[in-house]
Amino acid sequence: MKVPLSWLKEYVEIARPPHELAHLLTFAGLEVEAMEYIGLPQPQQERQQTKITGLAWDREHFVVADITAVEPHPNADRLVLAQLNDGERVHTVLTGAPNLFPFKGSGTLPAPVKVAYAREGARLYDGHKPGREVTRIKRAKIRGVESYSMACSEKELGISDEHEGVIIFDPDAPPAGTPLADYIGDVVFDIAITPNMARNASVIGVAREVAALTGASLRPPSWKMKVKSSKSSALPLPNIDIHEPKLNPRFTTTLIENVTIAPSPYWLQRRLRLAGMRPINNIVDVTNYVMLETGQPLHAFDYDVLCRRASGKTPTIITRLPEPAEKLTTLDGVGRALDGFTILVADTVGVLSIGGIMGGGESEVSPTTTNVLLEVASWDLINIRRSVHAQQLQSSQAGYRFSRGVHPAIAPRANRRAAELMRELGGGRIARELADEYPRPFPPVVVELPLAEIDRNLGITIPPDEVVRILTALEFRVEKEGAVLHVTVPEHRLDIGVGAVGIADLLEEIARIYGFERIPETQISDTTPPQHSNLALETEERMRDVLVNLGLQEVITYRLSSPELEQRTLATATGDYVTLSNPVAPERAAMRRSLLASVLECAESNARYQQRLALFEIGPVYLPKSASTDEQPALPREPRRLVVVLSGSRSALSWTDRERSPVDYFDLKGLVDTLIDAVHLDDVSVQPSEHPSFRPGATAALLLAGSPVGFFGELHPHVSAAFALTEYPVLAADFDLEALLPILPDHHSTKPVPRFPAIVEDIALIVDETTPASEVTELIAQTGGERLAQVQLFDVFRGAQLGAGKKSLAYRLTFQSDEKTLMDKDAARLRNKIVKRLKRDIDAELRSA
Amino acid sequence: MLELLHKNKQQALSELQRAADSTALKEWRSRHLGKESALMQALGSLGSLPAAERPDIGRRANEIRRSLKAACQQRADELRRAELDATPAAVLDVTLPGRPVQRGRLHIATQTLRRIYAIWAEMGFQVYRSPDVETDEYNFELLNIPAHHPARDMWDTFHADTPGVILRTHTSPGQIHAMREYCPEPIRVILPGMCYRYEQITARSEIQFNQVEGLAVGKNIRFTDLKGTLSDFARRMFGASTGTRFRASHFPFTEPSAEMDIECFLCSGDGCSVCKHTGWLEILGCGMVHPTVLQNGGYDPREFTGFAFGMGPERIAMLKYGIEDIRYFWGNDLRFLEQF
């Protein structure tokens, strides 16, 4: 909402400088997002609280001037020479402004044309260049005539982008020589209006806030209109037939006869432009002006069009829902199909306009209109909001206001105000008193506010007088009865509820006008609540720490994905997706089911720049549930998973390491082993497995109590290729953390540091190629018992001398007792026992050195 | 006999000085202190001496043996020192880069979240999590945002194909979950999580982002407490001298509502490009819990009050580290992530 300071001052006295006012408004919840200084000097401040733009008009160089005659240019048809008095002397000023041409060659004008004049050396915007480029007026000869000053357009002065002609002031403009800044210097506040402040999408609304904040009094305009005296000759007002009182609680009309459609006076045009609207003609401009002033949108019909449609009879206005397949061409020229819920303004022939949003083209005011029917109505905000969205008419100023709520009490006031302005500016007469259909009057809202609520909620005591002053300044009616205020809500706002909600609504009003800055800070003195730990988060974060310690980089990817992306992992889809009805892009159209696909996508985008990838992510996947109960739609399960992806060189490029080999399965296996060890996951095991995303033979399953809780291994070549990760093998792990996190032990037992020396022996065993190493290791450990402190596999060897289908596994065995120093013979006995057991169970041969 | 032993000792000591390495020292040791040495022979034959002479000669012979041993040890130490002194200097370019250590890192969003968790944990607020995929009821209606209400324009929402299911636009539905779980206990929790908005992805807006919301509910929670608690948080998060200010604002689920600004930590409030020369940074939204929301959570608003606040960890990280493009967070380019 753009609010010019000069307009605001019509309703409230403002003494403080504009930037201080902006600060005051911003802190009270009317955020001033930008300020534009029109001709006035900008404040000199170190800190700029709001964005400030604008051009200052030097008082010496910019003045009001009188054009007394307009003469043709001797050498140019498209230029004229104006005789101009700037209060000091008469100048000949060269101009091509089309709006001065009508005065050409009529000699001395009967009354001077008052313009905005810039003297030689003035700094202003270039009117012929796009945007706002500052230039300085210099002396020049144009087609033989000397030029050193100019009459200015709004664009040149930074008032608007209007550059077709020069500004022509209204005849009551001050005398020539008056500094322009004193006359039309202004500041425009651009204020963000939050949904609860719909009432302040109006100049009066903002003025009311200023009054409450500064203690000045509000001076609203007159709501009276002057109806013509002879009723006999007056045209009849249409009948009003409201079919849907809930959607259209109030409908008022006035009729202004015999208007002359013409441009509005300059003051009105200027105000509209400063507020961001384009002047059209006096009638349309008044509807917009009163809307900006009061917040109540209005609509003007060509009354004679309605009569013609009614075949000369008194027209009837009907507000109703659409007939099936009903259509309307609105005044923006768009043919529109109307949704069944959209409330319409119609007559007996058909639809005239979309209620509260946009008029139809046929009945709009045209240059030939003489009788104007002014509609000022109230609409249900929810319904308007639905229609605004359905019709994509978010830019409609009327729709914007009605969809946030306009109190029906404003309609008759705004109607009279506008009718009176039309009468004054359009030269017509108001035919009759206002017609007012109000089938559903809004009851007054009264809130009981115990003064103790202020301290209970805000933590401060505000003197009752101050509370009453604040509420009264906002036009609440307040009666104090003991420690309770009976507060009646004014008839311009719909945002105050009743009961506990009403109290909170009033507390907000009191607090923001009193000033948040004046409210002190305290420490919470309430009882400390019972403490609840969040074990799921703690274990998840513990897991992250372990993974970071293993040298992995955490990534966080989009949780929005697509089935197409996830199919690249070749894992067959085993369920539905949570799909979006309004995705921003096809590749982000569903909630992911595969964290692996997300991390591989991340690996793909990094692979071009990186020689080594070591990534992990912990995050949820979204698995829809099939059944939904009657009351609640079914929400998906959101189990957390862990994905690790490794690829590229094992080591970073370095002079210390000439041989740089790519990572392989055992890099990943090492990570998995260490991870399991680090979090003391004693109950899991690893076994060879198969999975469509992984390369056959290089796939392992992580088992918990016999069932897989994740897979890891080398990625299937098709999957690597699908993610364009073809330069190196890709290793990946994908674990179900919902299964693993709850079983992470939060403590474990320890062993004392050995007191007696150990005996270390190496043995090499020849076993079948098909025997997994884990089985051999497990057998050794089992047989060795508690005196076998450590079993380390340190070599795997295959060779012709071992025979086909055989491999040699070399182990280092550490024997140690916590009771005594072991002797060589103790170790030898255990060793022999182990060798014998392996021979028996898996036919392992001891390999002689 | 003693004279002979003394003479031998003198000779041994002078030979010792000539022993130039450990081999020579070993030979010397066996010659003068070994079983065959004159000294040891003499000590071995003490029994054959007359009883009267025995103690004196024995004591003197042992003295000689001890002094020779000590001299030998001293010579050994000298030789060892000389050996170490002779170690040649290393020939290294000590400026060459060391062997690379491959370090893992947490994503900057996680690092920021953890910092926020830690501060709030110390202030008595524990983490409460709730789902990403929510019902319209929890995300909007129970938070005092009815269907078609103009306040809904404040959120651009992703809708699931299942009617009534949306991706949460804020972590505020967690307020209802927490209240319904803990009612009638007092509450102090923070609600972190990923949120979603239907927006174009640009340098300034993302379709998913983390939010950390906070909620305190009790029988004695006031607006002054909200101001004090959040100012304390700001001083912990951004530095002990950080100033704060509160502007009136609007959120449907709080009333009164406010925005908290902090004094710009980059320019200390003097004005810079990051704070757009205002000296202040908008950091979080907050307010007293709306009575309708308390009611929906199971708390009687006549008895209980509460405050709530919400902040964006990514925005905080962007301000702190001068990150100019929000797309970097989920872009996961390692050249970005490795800077943290």
Side-chain angles (χ1 to χ4, degrees):
Chain A
M1 170 85 194
K2 286 186 169 177
V3 181
L5 179 63
S6 61
W7 197 349
L8 206 52
K9 280 182 169 173
E10 200 167 308
Y11 315 117
V12 65
E13 176 91 24
I14 295 171
R16 58 189 80 203
H19 63 277
E20 282 184 34
L21 185 67
H23 184 83
L24 208 56
L25 287 170
T26 297
F27 274 73
L30 289 94
E31 190 186 353
V32 177
E33 292 183 316
M35 292 169 77
E36 187 165 16
Y37 278 69
I38 313 279
L40 297 179
Q42 293 173 19
Q44 297 302 311
Q45 293 171 281
E46 288 273 304
R47 290 176 172 190
Q48 280 193 1
Q49 294 302 325
T50 38
K51 189 179 147 211
I52 293 180
T53 54
L55 175 77
W57 306 327
D58 177 350
R59 299 167 65 83
E60 293 303 311
H61 285 95
F62 293 90
V63 292
V64 176
D66 291 346
I67 292 176
T68 51
V70 180
E71 281 146 19
H73 188 288
N75 308 316
D77 290 345
R78 308 189 116 190
L79 296 173
V80 290
L81 303 174
Q83 295 305 308
L84 180 146
N85 179 352
D86 70 351
E88 288 175 3
R89 62 189 186 89
V90 174
H91 306 269
T92 300
V93 176
L94 192 84
T95 171
N99 58 343
L100 288 179
F101 276 49
F103 304 103
K104 185 163 76 170
S106 359
T108 303
L109 299 168
V113 173
K114 292 196 161 272
V115 295
Y117 178 60
R119 291 176 174 144
E120 181 175 4
R123 288 180 77 249
L124 39 58
Y125 294 125
D126 192 323
H128 301 288
K129 289 196 177 144
R132 295 198 155 171
E133 196 172 305
V134 176
T135 180
R136 189 181 288 276
I137 305 181
K138 293 191 203 89
R139 197 167 277 267
K141 260 202 171 136
I142 297 171
R143 300 244 176 161
V145 177
E146 189 149 56
S147 168
Y148 54 85
S149 63
M150 65 196 285
C152 304
S153 68
E154 287 198 342
K155 175 163 178 156
E156 282 151 349
L157 292 175
I159 297 171
S160 74
D161 290 332
E162 182 59 46
H163 62 274
E164 280 303 301
V166 296
I167 296 170
I168 299 179
F169 290 131
D170 299 325
D172 64 354
T178 305
L180 203 56
D182 291 351
Y183 180 36
I184 56 163
D186 218 327
V187 178
V188 179
F189 300 91
D190 197 345
I191 301 174
I193 304 292
T194 51
N196 62 329
M197 287 212 185
R199 64 189 181 281
N200 291 338
S202 65
V203 184
I204 290 177
V206 176
R208 185 185 297 114
E209 297 285 338
V210 173
L213 288 165
T214 62
S217 49
L218 183 68
R219 299 184 302 245
S222 163
W223 306 120
K224 295 195 173 76
M225 65 181 184
K226 191 173 164 220
V227 182
K228 77 171 183 176
S229 43
S230 72
K231 297 282 182 298
S232 54
S233 63
L235 295 168
L237 281 164
N239 306 308
I240 301 167
D241 185 0
I242 296 174
H243 287 192
E244 304 285 342
K246 196 185 166 303
L247 302 184
N248 173 209
R250 192 167 201 172
F251 200 97
T252 71
T253 58
T254 48
L255 176 56
I256 305 97
E257 305 172 343
N258 280 322
V259 296
T260 308
I261 305 292
S264 297
Y266 180 70
W267 67 265
L268 199 156
Q269 293 199 27
R270 181 177 147 270
R271 280 190 175 174
L272 288 181
R273 286 207 192 91
L274 289 179
M277 296 195 84
R278 200 163 52 89
I280 312 284
N281 59 45
N282 46 8
I283 300 303
V284 175
D285 291 354
V286 166
T287 61
N288 285 330
Y289 183 81
V290 175
M291 175 182 73
L292 293 171
E293 181 178 67
T294 63
Q296 166 74 55
L298 311 89
H299 184 69
F301 290 102
D302 186 325
Y303 179 77
D304 296 311
V305 173
L306 300 184
C307 291
R308 194 168 62 237
R309 284 166 61 100
S311 313
K313 284 184 259 169
T314 302
T316 298
I317 302 276
I318 305 160
T319 62
R320 60 168 172 83
L321 293 172
E323 312 280 344
E326 203 162 13
K327 287 190 171 58
L328 173 69
T329 300
T330 41
L331 50 79
D332 56 3
V334 178
R336 297 175 183 276
L338 301 165
D339 297 284
F341 55 78
T342 296
I343 186 83
L344 304 175
V345 179
D347 60 9
T348 45
V349 181
V351 54
L352 297 168
S353 62
I354 302 178
I357 302 176
M358 192 172 271
E362 187 188 347
S363 55
E364 74 176 312
V365 170
S366 74
T368 58
T369 299
T370 54
N371 298 312
V372 174
L373 181 75
L374 185 56
E375 166 212 313
V376 186
S378 309
W379 308 98
D380 175 64
L381 66 107
I382 301 297
N383 185 264
I384 297 290
R385 187 175 179 276
R386 281 183 81 187
S387 298
V388 161
H389 280 262
Q391 295 294 343
Q392 303 271 303
L393 278 170
Q394 282 87 344
S395 62
S396 155
Q397 290 270 353
Y400 167 81
R401 285 174 175 77
F402 279 130
S403 67
R404 285 158 181 246
V406 179
H407 196 290
I410 305 174
R413 283 182 232 158
N415 199 329
R416 292 199 183 91
R417 168 82 173 142
E420 183 64 12
L421 278 173
M422 285 179 188
R423 188 186 67 78
E424 283 172 15
L425 304 179
R429 285 162 306 175
I430 299 167
R432 291 167 189 279
E433 254 311 323
L434 176 101
D436 183 4
E437 280 297 311
Y438 193 11
R440 281 173 75 105
F442 280 31
V445 176
V446 181
V447 181
E448 306 292 311
L449 174 65
L451 287 164
E453 285 293 303
I454 296 174
D455 183 35
R456 188 174 80 95
N457 285 275
L458 302 180
I460 49 164
T461 311
I462 303 176
D465 288 353
E466 173 75 352
V467 176
V468 172
R469 185 205 74 77
I470 289 169
L471 291 173
T472 310
L474 292 170
E475 299 192 71
F476 289 91
R477 218 172 60 239
V478 185
E479 285 165 55
K480 186 166 174 292
E481 190 185 329
V484 177
L485 300 182
H486 303 273
V487 183
T488 308
V489 178
E491 279 193 317
H492 61 256
R493 51 196 297 175
L494 295 166
D495 62 313
I496 306 289
V498 293
V501 173
I503 289 171
D505 292 337
L506 292 182
L507 290 175
E508 176 167 70
E509 295 303 287
I510 294 164
R512 69 183 185 86
I513 301 295
Y514 179 79
F516 283 10
E517 292 301 90
R518 291 169 67 194
I519 299 176
E521 300 188 351
T522 54
Q523 302 298 317
I524 300 179
S525 52
D526 196 42
T527 345
T528 304
Q531 304 290 292
H532 303 276
S533 66
N534 191 326
L535 208 60
L537 177 70
E538 281 170 32
T539 47
E540 184 183 318
E541 295 297 345
R542 213 172 110 200
M543 191 70 106
R544 281 200 176 90
D545 285 335
V546 171
L547 292 159
V548 165
N549 290 342
L550 294 175
L552 300 174
Q553 168 70 52
E554 187 190 21
V555 296
I556 300 178
T557 57
Y558 283 110
R559 297 178 181 184
L560 295 149
S561 182
S562 71
E564 291 72 25
L565 172 80
E566 300 199 341
Q567 273 156 20
R568 289 203 247 158
T569 63
L570 297 180
T572 44
T574 50
D576 294 335
Y577 283 85
V578 175
T579 52
L580 301 181
S581 65
N582 59 337
V584 285
E587 67 272 20
R588 304 273 172 248
M591 296 303 278
R592 69 180 172 207
R593 289 183 59 93
S594 165
L595 182 60
L596 178 62
S598 296
V599 181
L600 286 174
E601 196 186 16
C602 171
E604 180 179 26
S605 65
N606 272 295
R608 270 186 295 159
Y609 313 109
Q610 303 292 336
Q611 295 186 320
R612 171 180 176 267
L613 294 173
L615 312 174
F616 83 92
E617 178 167 8
I618 288 177
V621 295
Y622 303 85
L623 311 177
K625 286 183 227 163
S626 47
S628 72
T629 63
D630 288 343
E631 307 99 60
Q632 285 285 333
L635 295 179
R637 291 199 305 118
E638 300 184 6
R640 268 148 220 278
R641 298 194 73 87
L642 160 66
V643 163
V644 174
V645 168
L646 299 180
S647 186
S649 291
R650 180 170 299 132
S651 52
L653 179 66
S654 169
W655 64 274
T656 55
D657 197 357
R658 298 225 172 72
E659 300 287 309
R660 300 180 65 221
S661 46
V663 289
D664 61 24
Y665 172 84
F666 293 101
D667 290 278
L668 179 64
K669 178 63 170 28
L671 276 176
V672 172
D673 290 341
T674 315
L675 175 66
I676 290 169
D677 186 52
V679 298
H680 302 280
L681 264 178
D682 302 330
D683 301 334
V684 298
S685 59
V686 169
Q687 80 174 30
S689 187
E690 288 173 9
H691 188 282
S693 299
F694 294 96
R695 183 177 167 189
T699 309
L702 190 68
L703 301 182
L704 173 66
S707 42
V709 290
F711 292 89
F712 64 95
E714 189 179 330
L715 221 53
H716 197 287
H718 283 317
V719 177
S720 304
F723 286 94
L725 294 165
T726 49
E727 198 181 339
Y728 297 103
V730 182
L731 292 310
D734 185 353
F735 296 157
D736 177 8
L737 286 190
E738 280 329 285
L740 292 176
L741 291 181
I743 59 156
L744 290 199
D746 92 325
H747 58 87
H748 59 90
S749 56
T750 58
K751 284 183 276 188
V753 175
R755 286 186 295 154
F756 301 100
I759 295 175
V760 174
E761 287 207 13
D762 292 348
I763 58 170
L765 298 156
I766 299 164
V767 297
D768 280 347
E769 185 63 77
T770 52
T771 310
S774 60
E775 196 184 326
V776 182
T777 311
E778 181 55 31
L779 266 177
I780 294 173
Q782 223 182 66
T783 318
E786 59 183 17
R787 283 189 175 174
L788 179 56
Q790 208 177 10
V791 184
Q792 288 162 286
L793 177 68
F794 69 90
D795 190 35
V796 179
F797 175 77
R798 294 174 182 85
Q801 64 269 48
L802 301 178
K806 294 283 183 186
K807 65 185 172 192
S808 157
L809 304 175
Y811 286 92
R812 172 153 301 174
L813 310 179
T814 305
F815 299 104
Q816 198 161 31
S817 162
D818 48 12
E819 287 152 2
K820 62 167 194 170
T821 302
L822 292 182
M823 309 305 273
D824 284 347
K825 62 176 191 320
D826 298 322
R829 209 179 59 240
L830 280 170
R831 178 175 171 272
N832 289 339
K833 190 177 159 198
I834 290 165
V835 171
K836 244 165 95 180
R837 172 83 182 275
L838 290 172
K839 170 74 183 161
R840 194 186 74 204
D841 284 14
I842 56 169
D843 197 24
E845 290 290 346
L846 192 64
R847 189 178 166 208
S848 41
Chain B
M1 183 174 178
L2 277 173
E3 267 171 48
L4 182 67
L5 289 178
H6 270 291
K7 205 176 145 203
N8 276 349
K9 179 188 167 192
Q10 292 311 319
Q11 180 162 0
L13 288 176
S14 77
E15 275 178 28
L16 186 59
Q17 289 316 306
R18 289 197 297 275
D21 56 30
S22 56
T23 321
L25 197 63
K26 212 172 163 187
E27 277 173 23
W28 180 91
R29 199 184 168 90
S30 105
R31 196 156 58 249
H32 296 286
L33 288 165
K35 283 181 188 162
E36 304 302 319
S37 63
L39 181 64
M40 295 314 278
Q41 292 289 332
L43 279 166
S45 61
L46 277 178
S48 60
L49 291 177
E53 290 175 29
R54 240 183 266 163
D56 186 42
I57 292 177
R59 184 173 49 79
R60 302 283 291 273
N62 268 318
E63 267 170 27
I64 290 166
R65 186 171 71 124
R66 270 196 300 277
S67 72
L68 283 181
K69 266 185 139 172
C72 175
Q73 184 58 47
Q74 194 188 343
R75 182 65 185 154
D77 289 349
E78 276 170 27
L79 287 176
R80 174 73 185 137
R81 268 198 299 280
E83 233 169 77
L84 291 175
D85 285 345
T87 310
V91 188
L92 282 186
D93 178 354
V94 295
T95 67
L96 277 172
R99 282 199 176 76
V101 175
Q102 289 168 350
R103 175 161 90 84
R105 292 172 184 81
L106 289 171
H107 193 284
I108 178 57
T110 305
Q111 292 184 32
T112 312
L113 278 170
R114 282 192 174 186
R115 178 133 174 70
I116 294 170
Y117 295 167
I119 294 172
W120 284 110
E122 286 175 17
M123 292 169 67
F125 287 71
Q126 286 146 356
V127 174
Y128 185 96
R129 296 198 291 188
S130 67
D132 289 14
V133 182
E134 263 295 357
T135 58
D136 185 276
E137 186 189 12
Y138 270 80
N139 194 78
F140 290 122
E141 284 176 43
L142 294 172
L143 293 167
N144 196 33
I145 313 162
H148 300 296
H149 192 271
R152 288 219 177 183
D153 292 341
M154 293 167 80
W155 298 273
D156 293 306
T157 310
F158 278 117
H159 296 272
D161 284 322
T162 311
V165 176
I166 53 122
L167 307 188
R168 65 173 170 193
T169 57
H170 43 203
T171 45
S172 315
Q175 290 190 24
I176 303 289
H177 289 292
M179 283 193 273
R180 290 188 169 179
E181 184 174 336
Y182 295 145
C183 185
E185 287 176 6
I187 298 178
R188 265 169 239 171
V189 292
I190 56 167
L191 312 148
M194 198 65 90
C195 303
Y196 306 84
R197 299 260 169 101
Y198 173 72
E199 294 200 30
Q200 289 307 313
I201 302 175
T202 68
R204 309 197 62 80
S205 65
E206 254 295 0
I207 54 172
Q208 76 176 34
F209 56 93
N210 278 296
Q211 198 177 57
V212 179
E213 196 149 310
L215 175 70
V217 174
K219 289 186 179 172
N220 183 23
I221 301 281
R222 304 153 317 159
F223 191 77
T224 50
D225 298 334
L226 160 76
K227 283 188 72 175
T229 307
L230 289 175
S231 291
D232 278 347
F233 167 76
R235 286 188 285 268
R236 292 288 312 275
M237 188 80 197
F238 301 105
S241 61
T242 304
T244 55
R245 64 178 197 184
F246 293 79
R247 289 179 286 113
S249 187
H250 172 68
F251 307 104
F253 32 90
T254 52
E255 193 171 34
S257 301
E259 299 268 3
M260 184 178 87
D261 298 337
I262 58 160
E263 232 164 353
C264 180
F265 47 78
L266 294 167
C267 63
S268 311
D270 293 340
C272 66
S273 64
V274 172
C275 61
K276 299 192 185 94
H277 303 285
T278 64
W280 294 94
L281 297 168
E282 198 175 308
I283 224 76
L284 56 80
C286 54
M288 299 299 290
V289 181
H290 195 280
T292 304
V293 177
L294 280 174
Q295 189 93 55
N296 290 338
Y299 291 85
D300 182 349
R302 287 170 304 185
E303 200 183 341
F304 286 89
T305 50
F307 67 71
F309 55 87
M311 67 189 91
E314 283 92 58
R315 176 173 156 74
I316 289 173
M318 287 175 85
L319 291 171
K320 283 191 97 156
Y321 301 103
I323 302 165
E324 289 180 346
D325 194 327
I326 198 170
R327 289 170 295 195
Y328 284 172
F329 285 89
W330 322 136
N332 290 302
D333 193 315
L334 297 181
R335 295 168 298 179
F336 170 68
L337 296 182
E338 286 174 355
Q339 295 180 47
F340 298 96

